Amino acid sequence: WHQFLKRVKIVTVSKTSCDVLKSKGYNPIQIPHSVDINTYKNNNEKNKKVKILYVGRIFEGKGIKEILDISSKFSKDKVEFLFVGDGPLINLIKKNEDKLPVKYLGFVKDKNKLRKIYGSSDIFILNSYATERWEEWFGISLLEAMASNLPIIATDCVGPKEIMKNNKVGFLISQKNKKELYNKLNILIKN
C-alpha cells in the first residue's frame, strides 16, 4: 500500500492533512470542500427568539453535551438552540426539549430545506473537540453557515482554524471551554 500510495495522488480537504501526508512521503493534493454561495440566503428578519443552529453528526466529539449544558443558562423565551443531524445523542436532545431552550429538527436530507434553516437562523455553533480517534478536519457546515451570513462560534480544531479567521466571521474558541462558549454566545446574542 505504501508503494501504491506514493505513486498516486491523494486528495485531501485540509492543508494540515495534506502537509502530514507529504511528510510521510505521499503525493497529496488539497482540494477543499466548497458550497455555491448563490444558493444560500439569510432572511435578515428579526426572529422573536435568537436561533442558535448546530448542523452535523450528533455525537460526543461535536460537543453536544456541552451545548446542552450551556443552553440551560438561557431563557426559553429569548433563545432557541436548533439541532440538525443524526447520531447517538439525538435522544438526549429530545429528552431535554421540554426543559431547555432546545429543539431537534431531525436529519435534513433536502438541501433546499437545510438552506432555509440556515437562512432563518441567527448564530451558528460548531463545538467539536479532538478525541483519541477523531478531530474536525474540515467542517462543511461552517461553509454553509458563512454562505448564509451567520456569525459563527467554532472550536480551534484543524478544520475551523483553516476555514475561519478569528473575529472576522465569528469566534474561534478553545476546545471543551464552556465558559468561553457561553461568553461568546452572550456577545452575539446581545449584538
Side-chain angles (χ1 to χ4, degrees):
W1 277 106
H2 290 285
Q3 290 302 317
F4 172 74
L5 291 174
K6 286 182 181 184
R7 289 189 204 118
V8 299
K9 281 280 187 201
I10 300 171
V11 177
T12 181
V13 296
S14 75
K15 182 182 180 322
T16 302
S17 59
C18 190
D19 292 344
V20 167
L21 288 168
K22 280 181 185 174
S23 74
K24 304 247 184 234
Y26 299 114
N27 191 15
I29 183 170
Q30 180 195 3
I31 303 175
H33 288 298
S34 63
V35 297
D36 181 356
I37 62 171
N38 296 316
T39 62
Y40 288 84
K41 306 277 184 259
N42 188 295
N43 70 7
N44 295 321
E45 293 177 19
K46 187 85 171 145
N47 292 317
K48 290 180 182 178
K49 298 178 186 181
V50 176
K51 293 185 177 187
I52 302 165
L53 179 64
Y54 166 84
V55 175
R57 287 184 296 150
I58 300 184
F59 80 106
E60 185 96 18
K62 294 282 193 164
I64 301 300
K65 290 179 180 177
E66 290 79 5
I67 295 172
L68 289 173
D69 188 40
I70 292 292
S71 76
S72 69
K73 299 179 186 314
F74 294 96
S75 165
K76 285 181 93 167
D77 298 332
K78 296 183 180 183
V79 173
E80 185 174 45
F81 288 77
L82 305 173
F83 292 85
V84 174
D86 194 13
L89 296 181
I90 290 170
N91 288 333
L92 183 62
I93 296 167
K94 288 180 178 180
K95 184 174 87 175
N96 284 290
E97 285 181 317
D98 292 335
K99 297 181 268 189
L100 301 174
V102 301
K103 186 174 182 182
Y104 176 62
L105 301 179
F107 176 76
V108 179
K109 191 173 184 176
D110 183 310
K111 284 289 186 187
N112 289 325
K113 184 176 178 184
L114 185 58
R115 287 182 194 111
K116 286 179 183 174
I117 294 169
Y118 276 108
S120 65
S121 298
D122 299 300
I123 300 169
F124 183 79
I125 293 180
L126 185 64
N127 194 43
S128 303
Y129 58 85
T131 68
E132 196 175 292
R133 307 185 89 200
W134 179 84
E135 184 168 353
E136 190 75 60
W137 280 88
F138 195 78
I140 192 123
S141 59
L142 287 176
L143 298 181
E144 293 168 337
M146 287 191 289
S148 302
N149 294 318
L150 296 178
I152 296 167
I153 301 171
T155 55
D156 59 359
C157 287
V158 170
K161 282 194 301 191
E162 287 186 20
I163 295 169
M164 296 178 51
K165 296 286 185 244
N166 194 23
N167 299 321
K168 296 285 185 192
V169 295
F171 300 110
L172 281 172
I173 62 172
S174 306
Q175 296 172 41
K176 294 186 176 184
N177 190 329
K178 288 194 287 189
K179 183 178 180 184
E180 199 174 0
L181 174 59
Y182 175 77
N183 291 338
K184 298 303 184 190
L185 267 173
N186 266 326
I187 290 168
L188 293 177
I189 289 168
K190 291 176 183 173
N191 185 0

